[in-house]
Amino acid sequence: MGFLDKLKAMGAQASKEAQDGWSRFNNGAFADATMAACALIGAADGKIDQTERSRTAQFITTSDKLKAFNVSDMRDKYDRYCDKITADFDFGKIELMQAIGKVAGKPDQARAVVQLAVVIANSDGEFDEKEMGVVREIAQALKLDPSEFSV
């Protein structure tokens, strides 16, 4: 086996391990927390525009990390959280933060939620200060140190 073949095999193994790792979180609280975090990142500037909403929904349906979940259910949760924060930003944010907080006592799941928030924030190639602020809030709500995620 050549070097490139070994490198490809290592990459495939790492991807499988990441997938297997996230599949162990296949529960309602984790699904709610991740989709609430996605909606909060989308609303970092105070609103969610349709382009941003569509791009995040596309990520949800194609992400290797989320393949262990019912993607249709995940997208429905995401849409529901986007609707809540769009209807009333302040109350919506409180409700979304409560959904995120349900995994605060589970450090592995909490870290995975923050990691997904970082991925979503970076998905457009620009991780701005408002998005970093939301990631910090999410990390703090989950009783994690934001500096662990470089925010």
Side-chain angles (χ1 to χ4, degrees):
M1 181 182 282
F3 175 74
L4 289 177
D5 291 332
K6 287 181 183 179
L7 195 57
K8 285 180 186 177
M10 287 172 46
Q13 180 62 30
S15 178
K16 182 183 181 326
E17 287 173 6
Q19 172 65 37
D20 292 346
W22 279 56
S23 67
R24 73 180 190 268
F25 302 147
N26 195 347
N27 64 65
F30 181 75
D32 286 340
T34 56
M35 294 303 97
C38 288
L40 280 173
I41 292 296
D45 62 358
K47 62 182 178 7
I48 302 176
D49 67 39
Q50 192 55 44
T51 303
E52 199 164 25
R53 192 169 173 164
S54 296
R55 188 178 59 241
T56 302
Q58 177 68 23
F59 172 83
I60 292 165
T61 58
T62 60
S63 172
D64 288 341
K65 290 180 174 17
L66 299 175
K67 283 185 179 178
F69 300 88
N70 180 319
V71 177
S72 178
D73 288 346
M74 295 294 272
R75 184 156 179 183
D76 288 345
K77 287 177 189 290
Y78 171 70
D79 285 338
R80 192 173 67 248
Y81 286 131
C82 286
D83 291 343
K84 286 179 186 285
I85 204 157
T86 300
D88 186 319
F89 184 82
D90 293 328
F91 283 114
K93 184 175 180 180
I94 290 168
E95 188 171 336
L96 273 59
M97 292 301 283
Q98 288 174 338
I100 290 167
K102 290 180 181 178
V103 298
K106 303 169 185 162
D108 290 346
Q109 291 184 38
R111 279 184 182 78
V113 169
V114 178
Q115 290 166 349
L116 181 64
V118 170
V119 168
I120 292 296
N122 278 308
S123 68
D124 63 357
E126 187 178 322
F127 192 16
D128 65 34
E129 187 55 42
K130 290 178 181 176
E131 291 168 331
M132 286 184 196
V134 171
V135 172
R136 278 191 291 274
E137 285 183 74
I138 292 169
Q140 291 166 341
L142 293 170
K143 300 178 176 84
L144 299 173
D145 182 359
S147 67
E148 180 181 339
F149 306 96
S150 301
V151 293

